[in-house]
Amino acid sequence: MSPIIKKASLFKKILYRQAGVIPIVEILLLILLIIIPFFVGDFLTIIITRMLILALLAISFELCWGYSGIMTFGQGLFFGMGGYAVALFANKADFVQLWGVIPIGLIVGMCASFLIAWLLLLGKRPPELIFIALGTLTFSYAAERLVAGWYWVGGGNGMSIFEYLRIGSFEVEPGRLFYYIVATILLLVYLTSRFLVRSQFGLVLAGARQNEKRLAFLGYKVQKFKAIVFCFAGAIAGLGGGLYAHHEGFIGPGNVGIGISTMAVLYALFGGAGSLIGPIIGVLAIESISFTLSDIDAVRGYWPIILGVILLVVVTFKQDGLLGFVVTQRERIGSFGILKATESKPSETSQHLKNEKNDSPS
Amino acid sequence: MIPLLEAKHISKYFGVLKALDGVSISVQENTFHGLIGPNGSGKSTLLKVIAGDHYPDEGNLTFNGNDVTNHTPELRAQNGLNLKFQITAIFPELSVYDNILLSLQSSESFWNLVLSNSRASLHDRIMDTLERFKLVDRAGSLASELSHGLQQWLEIAMAVIRKPKLLLLDEPTGGMSPEERRATGELLLPIKKDCTLIIVEHDLEWIKDICDNLTVLDQGKVLDDGTVKHIESSQKVKEVYTSRV
């Protein structure tokens, strides 16, 4: 087989593998995202909006764990800090403009995550996985205790936001418009994250997840790469927290600490770690099950137990999560970088071969 | 002539065990240098000290004219010093192509990586290397799906494609069949004009065929060193090898 044919067959293999189930799931969810408010009432639209906000939290965890191998229990902390920051702006400065809420959430989340990355990730020696997990867990716990005991931020009662989010002088009440704002933000975050993890930068993260030491021997400053993705994920969590506080009109200690950080882990594991769409499915599934079970009179008293058992069964027996039922491990891994025009594509190579054949004397 | 690598009086302790005891070696540019010795003689430890996986307790290390004794592995790698591990250290959940790409793109800037700007320019080099190491048909396969021998070749390919000044190979033919060992030697010989090699290997016949110089270690010390011919005729080496190997 000539080298050109070999290259062509290689790229066919790679391209066929890229065109798998994940894009279909993504398109189906996108369609659902666009049309669903037209088929459900305002109440359910508000519930689904909350799920989409939590999906931002799930994506932020997934970027750390599923793509970079950083086991973090700190995403709830960044989420909560984003929420508290916008609540403080709303209550102390009467500032509730959407154009400000988004950057406040992003910046607070990023700064908080940078501080933790600096303390936990950027030390002289590469930290162990368990050190990061316990370190972030401790920070989350400490933050929860701190806000619960700090009167200025509402103490154990948390902070309510009495004004609606605004675009100029227009008030955005929780409902269809709020839904589409959140859906657009989620879509942008998803596409940006997708671009990042499928880029050559994403390849470095995949390497860090699998063999950090080997990557260092290739010349990469692994901890810096991890710190960058940790801050990016922290910013997303902070943004989610900011939107959450305005959507719910409330932020409290329960939205900062270990509980919500653990939920982020469960969303990813339940939906399927190692893909960005998996954690979103995890959020939709877990929150839908919770909502449905809590509404059934017969199980109202003990629905959390049922939910706990479902989570245990899936996480224990289906380690690649719900997405694992339809997506292979190979597709999840995918390939990295962008096929540029200068690279030989199968079709071009085939054409070139045909031309060569026609030109050559037989 | 200034050697590319010079290790002077290197000692390394693991608790009370003295794995290296005042080892000194000197490696000239564009030569293949073999490290041999019985099990536990300190060959792999010396290689790890050179690569930066372990830091020496005593002695110093000069590479390309610079003291690199306290340099981190990534800094050494950036300066052209690469290691192939004894136990195959590839990225099992990446395709063969992406393993090579990951190795090659390490000097790219942050934005080039984020925007995937360099993949197209690196593509031809990757494909050429895959062909040279007979991996082109498996480029899309996961690295974990390769046979042990091909995994070893993949790791060597990952190191060679970076055109390092000094390549450290820790038992590159470990677990290979005689045919694969021969083929590995053939793959390595052409890189001599661009690269210097230090090889740790148990297969004496194989290492004699491809190396210019040998250092024999025994119990953490240099027993003898010199050309292959010199080592072959060394009485000290014969005694160690006939008594323990």
Side-chain angles (χ1 to χ4, degrees), chain A residues 127-147:
Chain A
E128 300 281 330
L129 184 89
I130 191 73
F131 177 74
I132 306 287
L134 293 178
T136 49
L137 189 78
T138 309
F139 275 108
S140 287
Y141 178 75
E144 187 176 345
R145 302 302 302 167
L146 180 74
V147 293

Short mmCIF file of all heavy atoms in Angstrom, two decimals, chain A residues 127-147:
data_model
loop_
_atom_site.label_atom_id
_atom_site.label_comp_id
_atom_site.label_asym_id
_atom_site.label_seq_id
_atom_site.Cartn_x
_atom_site.Cartn_y
_atom_site.Cartn_z
N PRO A 127 1.14 17.90 43.22
CA PRO A 127 0.35 17.35 44.31
C PRO A 127 -0.33 16.03 43.94
O PRO A 127 -0.61 15.79 42.77
CB PRO A 127 -0.71 18.43 44.55
CG PRO A 127 -0.82 19.13 43.24
CD PRO A 127 0.49 19.02 42.55
N GLU A 128 -0.56 15.21 44.93
CA GLU A 128 -1.30 13.96 44.72
C GLU A 128 -2.77 14.27 44.49
O GLU A 128 -3.27 15.29 44.96
CB GLU A 128 -1.18 13.06 45.96
CG GLU A 128 0.23 12.66 46.34
CD GLU A 128 0.75 11.52 45.48
OE1 GLU A 128 -0.08 10.71 45.04
OE2 GLU A 128 1.96 11.47 45.24
N LEU A 129 -3.43 13.34 43.81
CA LEU A 129 -4.87 13.47 43.53
C LEU A 129 -5.66 13.69 44.82
O LEU A 129 -6.53 14.55 44.91
CB LEU A 129 -5.34 12.20 42.83
CG LEU A 129 -6.78 12.16 42.36
CD1 LEU A 129 -6.87 12.71 40.95
CD2 LEU A 129 -7.33 10.76 42.41
N ILE A 130 -5.31 12.90 45.84
CA ILE A 130 -6.06 12.94 47.10
C ILE A 130 -5.83 14.27 47.82
O ILE A 130 -6.73 14.78 48.50
CB ILE A 130 -5.67 11.73 48.00
CG1 ILE A 130 -6.62 11.58 49.19
CG2 ILE A 130 -4.24 11.79 48.48
CD1 ILE A 130 -7.97 11.07 48.81
N PHE A 131 -4.66 14.86 47.63
CA PHE A 131 -4.36 16.15 48.25
C PHE A 131 -5.28 17.23 47.69
O PHE A 131 -5.84 18.05 48.43
CB PHE A 131 -2.88 16.50 48.01
CG PHE A 131 -2.49 17.85 48.54
CD1 PHE A 131 -2.34 18.07 49.90
CD2 PHE A 131 -2.27 18.91 47.66
CE1 PHE A 131 -1.98 19.32 50.38
CE2 PHE A 131 -1.92 20.17 48.14
CZ PHE A 131 -1.77 20.37 49.50
N ILE A 132 -5.47 17.20 46.38
CA ILE A 132 -6.35 18.19 45.73
C ILE A 132 -7.79 17.97 46.21
O ILE A 132 -8.51 18.92 46.54
CB ILE A 132 -6.31 18.04 44.19
CG1 ILE A 132 -4.89 18.11 43.66
CG2 ILE A 132 -7.20 19.10 43.53
CD1 ILE A 132 -4.27 19.46 43.70
N ALA A 133 -8.20 16.69 46.23
CA ALA A 133 -9.58 16.38 46.62
C ALA A 133 -9.85 16.85 48.04
O ALA A 133 -10.84 17.55 48.31
CB ALA A 133 -9.84 14.88 46.49
N LEU A 134 -8.94 16.50 48.95
CA LEU A 134 -9.15 16.88 50.35
C LEU A 134 -8.97 18.39 50.56
O LEU A 134 -9.67 18.99 51.37
CB LEU A 134 -8.20 16.10 51.26
CG LEU A 134 -8.47 14.59 51.34
CD1 LEU A 134 -7.45 13.91 52.23
CD2 LEU A 134 -9.88 14.32 51.86
N GLY A 135 -8.04 18.96 49.84
CA GLY A 135 -7.81 20.41 49.95
C GLY A 135 -9.04 21.20 49.53
O GLY A 135 -9.50 22.09 50.25
N THR A 136 -9.60 20.86 48.36
CA THR A 136 -10.80 21.58 47.88
C THR A 136 -11.99 21.30 48.79
O THR A 136 -12.81 22.18 49.04
CB THR A 136 -11.12 21.19 46.43
OG1 THR A 136 -11.11 19.76 46.31
CG2 THR A 136 -10.13 21.78 45.45
N LEU A 137 -12.06 20.06 49.29
CA LEU A 137 -13.14 19.71 50.22
C LEU A 137 -13.05 20.59 51.48
O LEU A 137 -14.07 21.12 51.96
CB LEU A 137 -13.01 18.23 50.62
CG LEU A 137 -14.15 17.62 51.40
CD1 LEU A 137 -15.31 17.30 50.48
CD2 LEU A 137 -13.71 16.33 52.10
N THR A 138 -11.85 20.77 51.98
CA THR A 138 -11.65 21.58 53.18
C THR A 138 -12.04 23.04 52.91
O THR A 138 -12.71 23.67 53.73
CB THR A 138 -10.17 21.51 53.63
OG1 THR A 138 -9.81 20.14 53.71
CG2 THR A 138 -9.96 22.18 54.97
N PHE A 139 -11.61 23.56 51.77
CA PHE A 139 -11.97 24.94 51.43
C PHE A 139 -13.49 25.11 51.34
O PHE A 139 -14.04 26.10 51.81
CB PHE A 139 -11.32 25.35 50.10
CG PHE A 139 -9.93 25.86 50.25
CD1 PHE A 139 -8.85 25.11 49.85
CD2 PHE A 139 -9.68 27.10 50.83
CE1 PHE A 139 -7.55 25.57 50.00
CE2 PHE A 139 -8.39 27.58 50.99
CZ PHE A 139 -7.32 26.81 50.57
N SER A 140 -14.16 24.13 50.73
CA SER A 140 -15.61 24.20 50.59
C SER A 140 -16.28 24.21 51.96
O SER A 140 -17.19 25.00 52.23
CB SER A 140 -16.14 23.01 49.78
OG SER A 140 -15.82 23.17 48.44
N TYR A 141 -15.81 23.29 52.80
CA TYR A 141 -16.39 23.20 54.14
C TYR A 141 -16.17 24.49 54.91
O TYR A 141 -17.10 25.03 55.54
CB TYR A 141 -15.76 22.01 54.89
CG TYR A 141 -16.27 21.87 56.30
CD1 TYR A 141 -17.55 21.36 56.55
CD2 TYR A 141 -15.49 22.25 57.39
CE1 TYR A 141 -18.04 21.25 57.84
CE2 TYR A 141 -15.97 22.14 58.68
CZ TYR A 141 -17.25 21.64 58.90
OH TYR A 141 -17.72 21.53 60.18
N ALA A 142 -14.93 25.01 54.84
CA ALA A 142 -14.60 26.24 55.57
C ALA A 142 -15.45 27.41 55.07
O ALA A 142 -15.95 28.21 55.86
CB ALA A 142 -13.11 26.55 55.42
N ALA A 143 -15.64 27.48 53.74
CA ALA A 143 -16.42 28.58 53.17
C ALA A 143 -17.87 28.50 53.64
O ALA A 143 -18.50 29.52 53.97
CB ALA A 143 -16.35 28.54 51.65
N GLU A 144 -18.39 27.27 53.67
CA GLU A 144 -19.78 27.07 54.12
C GLU A 144 -19.95 27.54 55.57
O GLU A 144 -20.90 28.25 55.90
CB GLU A 144 -20.15 25.60 53.98
CG GLU A 144 -21.60 25.31 54.26
CD GLU A 144 -21.96 23.84 54.03
OE1 GLU A 144 -21.17 23.12 53.40
OE2 GLU A 144 -23.03 23.43 54.50
N ARG A 145 -18.99 27.17 56.41
CA ARG A 145 -19.04 27.58 57.82
C ARG A 145 -18.91 29.10 57.93
O ARG A 145 -19.57 29.73 58.76
CB ARG A 145 -17.92 26.91 58.62
CG ARG A 145 -17.90 25.39 58.60
CD ARG A 145 -19.15 24.77 59.10
NE ARG A 145 -19.50 25.16 60.47
CZ ARG A 145 -20.68 24.94 61.04
NH1 ARG A 145 -21.65 24.37 60.35
NH2 ARG A 145 -20.90 25.31 62.28
N LEU A 146 -18.03 29.64 57.09
CA LEU A 146 -17.76 31.07 57.15
C LEU A 146 -19.02 31.88 56.84
O LEU A 146 -19.42 32.77 57.60
CB LEU A 146 -16.64 31.43 56.17
CG LEU A 146 -16.24 32.90 56.10
CD1 LEU A 146 -15.44 33.29 57.33
CD2 LEU A 146 -15.40 33.17 54.85
N VAL A 147 -19.67 31.55 55.71
CA VAL A 147 -20.85 32.34 55.33
C VAL A 147 -22.01 32.08 56.29
O VAL A 147 -22.83 32.96 56.54
CB VAL A 147 -21.29 32.10 53.86
CG1 VAL A 147 -20.25 32.62 52.90
CG2 VAL A 147 -21.61 30.64 53.59
#
